[in-house]
Structures are given as structure tokens and as C-alpha cells.
Amino acid sequence: VPFCRDRCSYCAFATLADDPALHGRVVSALLRELARHEVEQPWKTLYLGGGTPSLLVPELLGRLLAGLTEATPARTEPPELTLEANPANVTRERLADWNALGITRLSLGVQTFHDEALRRLGRLHDANTARRALELIATHWPGSWSADLLLGWEFQSHELLAADLDELSRFKPPHLSAYPLEIEPGSQISRAVQNNHIDISNISHLYIDISLFEHHLAPANLRRYEVSNFARDGHESRHNQVYWANAEYLGLGPGACSSRGHLRWANHRDTRTWLDRVEAGRDARVRAERLSPSQRLLESLAVGLRTEAGVSKRQLDARFGDAWSGVLREAARAPLEDLGLTQTDDRLVVAGDERLRVDAIMGHLARSWPDDEPVLS
Ligand SMILES: C[S@@+](CC[C@H](N)C(=O)[O-])C[C@H]1O[C@@H](n2cnc3c(N)ncnc32)[C@H](O)[C@@H]1O
Ligand code: SF4
């Protein structure tokens, strides 16, 4: 759902200035796009993201959810159904509406409680609006929920990060995603960095301070179950775990990405172009790639080893047969040993703080990875 009231200075997602006249068209087009795909399996999780899907009125969200349910096979167990929400859109009435629609989980973009930082990040809301939204959710929301924090913004110090973690902990969030600020090409911040108008040298520095997170999140009972994600037991995001297991997902809407079998593709990012194509019954995809088994294996390790649970050897066997252990032995042994990779009967796991190095090591490994089939585009 691509709409945003305003564009945050760091964000380069496929978004569009809010235009309520287009909301109904986008919902119809999402359902029309779904109809182009064969969905044989009942889905386990649905993530309404964007953009700001909480801008849609409940009637339209209801139409979208009903359409998605009608067009796909029935499920036996209740799915996880997450709605991304901006603190500026949270009211007691809306919480009741979302609950009545069957949303089971909210993801709230808090980012920080520092007003000057929120202003410079171009956020719509101030810290008090976020506090009010958190208070409402903590008191009245019956489902699970998560808060997003942004790490490493311009003048964030250890003390300011600790203050954000302490303040968030007071609301006892069942889940937290803490994302280091990425300087995305095309964002306002990337232009400011290029022109030396802001200094972002503290990004990675803050990120690796493990003890700071452990200490300040302890009152909320949050466990770091993935490099950037923390949860109370039983509140781990089922949706994110699909990505970390490198499993299949279908993305609908402008800029959405999908992964199925050995194919991966992305939709056109421009909302009007995506709308025109879908409404004309045309393909809205702009890029597709066919991944070789060894690229898939590399990715499965790169994302799976970021998690506390690691990678299931049984799943690797099922997907890659015996080949995977051979490839692992050959190309990946030294870098994975460097990470302290351990093997249990069923899993490959990188322990504790070492998980923060998975990205860097896997990037290095990717550059020397045996490329048995070229990537097509
Ligand atoms: C689609 S937004 C969440 C919903 C709503 N649009 C909002 O911002 O409140 C998803 C998350 O991605 C984060 N995000 C966007 N651009 C980012 C960047 N360049 N670096 C790190 N996080 C980013 C946002 O801060 C937000 O918490
Ligand atoms: S961070 Fe969220 S609200 Fe801000 S521009 Fe990106 S999608 Fe929109």
C-alpha cells in the first residue's frame, strides 16, 4: 500500500504522496494482481506494509482482506496478519476496527523519542504522538505488536539510544525491530551526506553495542532472536521468519518483491505505472532473476545464520540434496569457521555476538562463491 502523508528524509521505498481518491483503485488492483498468480497453498502470514497501510479506511482494508481470503485456499490454523501503522494514525477507534477486521499484529514506526531527530528524519509525528499511540496499543490492543526503532541517525549517542530503549521498554513491547539507518540512493539524506551536510559516522558503531541492548531491553523481557529483531517468547514475527528461512512469498503492489522456486521478481515501483499495467491486465513485473541452487544456498545461509535458531540442516537437505554439504565444505568452510559456526544434529548456528558479523562474512563469501549458472535479468 504505497501511500504516505509525507516522505521521510531517509526513506526510498516505493511510496506516493497520499491521495485518498486512489485508495479504492489500489485495493482493487491488488486483488486483480493476486488473481494473476496461482496460490495453491493456504498462506500462513500476511503483511500489509508500504507505505502506510494504516491510512486506508477500515472498509477498504476489509475489502482487501476479504478479497485475499476468497481468492486463496482456506487455512486450517489462524494466520498471522500484520498491519504496519504510523503513530499518527493510531486512535482507540482504529484499534477496535483493526481488531474486528482480524488483524492479529501491529507494527508501529516509532523510530525514536527524540523530537529534534524526528523532525530531521522528516517524520510526521512527534515523540508525544508516539507515546500516545504506544499507550493506546499497550492498554487496548488485544493482539501482538512490534515497534520499529531507527539506529545511527545523525547525532544519536549511546546515551540517546539507551534513552530510546528505556522509554520503549516502559510500554513492554512484545517485539522490537531495530534497524540501522541505511543511506538509500535517492533519499533526501543521501543527498545531504553527499554534500557533507550531515555526519553519519556513528551508524555501525551504535549497532554493535550488544550489552547496551541487553541491559536496556531486559525489563521488557526481549530476546535478540535475529540480528535486528527482539521478541518476548511466543511473539517472534512469523512473517519475518519466512524471509530468514529463504522460503516462498508473494508480494503484491508497486515495488513489491516475490520469491517462488528458483525465480524472484520485482514489480514496477511507480504506483501509476503499476496501476495502469494491472488495470489493463498486463504484467506489472519489471525485473526477474533465476537463481541457481548454489546462489539459493548462499542466500539461505546469509539470512538463516542471522537468527538465533540458525539454519535447519533437514531443510537444506530437502532443498539442495547432498550437494549442499559439499559446497559448504569447499567454499564456505574457512569463513564459516571464522564465524565460529557450530553444528548440532539438525542445525547450523552462529552463536551470540558473532551473528553481527554474518552480513560482512557472507558478503565476502558471495564474492568468491562458485557461480554455476549466471543470474538472468
Ligand atoms: C513502511 S515503514 C513502516 C510504516 C510507516 N510507513 C512508518 O514509517 O511509520 C517500515 C520501516 O522501514 C524503516 N525504514 C525505511 N527506510 C529506512 C532506511 N533507509 N533505513 C532504515 N530503516 C528504514 C522505517 O523507518 C519503518 O519503520
Ligand atoms: S518511513 Fe514510512 S512513513 Fe516514512 S516515507 Fe517511508 S514508508 Fe512513508
Side-chain angles (χ1 to χ4, degrees), residues 69-209:
T69 311
E70 272 161 31
T72 49
R75 301 167 301 253
T76 44
E77 55 182 86
E80 178 185 88
L81 236 146
T82 306
L83 175 76
E84 266 184 353
N86 189 296
N89 308 132
V90 175
T91 61
R92 197 158 167 191
E93 296 68 40
R94 277 289 181 265
L95 292 180
D97 292 334
W98 296 335
N99 184 42
L101 287 171
I103 304 285
T104 64
R105 188 171 178 273
L106 296 179
S107 170
L108 190 74
V110 174
Q111 320 309 348
T112 170
F113 294 96
H114 196 291
D115 274 330
E116 175 58 15
L118 287 169
R119 199 186 58 73
R120 291 199 206 180
L121 291 168
R123 296 292 293 179
L124 261 187
H125 58 90
D126 59 10
N128 274 337
T129 307
R131 288 183 189 110
R132 253 194 312 276
L134 286 163
E135 195 67 59
L136 281 172
I137 292 172
T139 318
H140 300 290
W141 179 249
S144 191
W145 61 279
S146 177
D148 283 352
L149 284 184
L150 202 55
L151 310 179
W153 35 264
E154 204 181 339
F155 58 95
Q156 190 178 36
S157 58
H158 280 80
E159 289 69 30
L160 290 178
L161 172 57
D164 276 347
L165 297 175
D166 283 342
E167 175 132 28
L168 189 64
S169 289
R170 281 204 305 109
F171 298 97
K172 301 267 182 286
H175 190 278
L176 160 69
S177 297
Y179 295 126
L181 175 66
E182 295 212 22
I183 304 302
E184 297 285 354
S187 63
Q188 275 176 46
I189 279 197
S190 107
R191 287 188 288 279
V193 171
Q194 268 164 16
N195 298 330
N196 292 324
H197 289 158
I198 63 167
D199 174 18
I200 44 136
S201 50
N202 64 349
I203 291 182
S204 51
H205 175 57
L206 285 172
Y207 190 47
I208 57 172
D209 197 335

Side-chain angles (χ1 to χ4, degrees), residues 4 6-8 10-11 13 15 51-52 86 123:
C4 287
D6 214 347
R7 154 95 52 200
C8 302
Y10 55 92
C11 183
F13 289 169
T15 65
T52 314
N86 189 296
R123 296 292 293 179

Side-chain angles (χ1 to χ4, degrees), residues 259-311:
S259 182
R260 246 181 167 185
H262 294 307
L263 273 189
R264 183 161 53 199
W265 65 88
N267 281 351
H268 210 292
R269 284 174 58 88
D270 178 71
T271 299
R272 287 172 200 281
T273 311
W274 170 82
L275 262 178
D276 288 345
R277 289 198 186 181
V278 175
E279 287 174 345
R282 288 169 53 213
D283 197 342
R285 294 177 288 189
V286 279
R287 280 198 324 271
E289 52 185 3
R290 183 184 298 280
L291 300 166
S292 69
S294 104
Q295 287 165 330
R296 270 268 177 228
L297 171 59
L298 176 71
E299 288 191 348
S300 298
L301 294 172
V303 288
L305 293 178
R306 294 170 56 94
T307 62
E308 188 182 42
V311 180

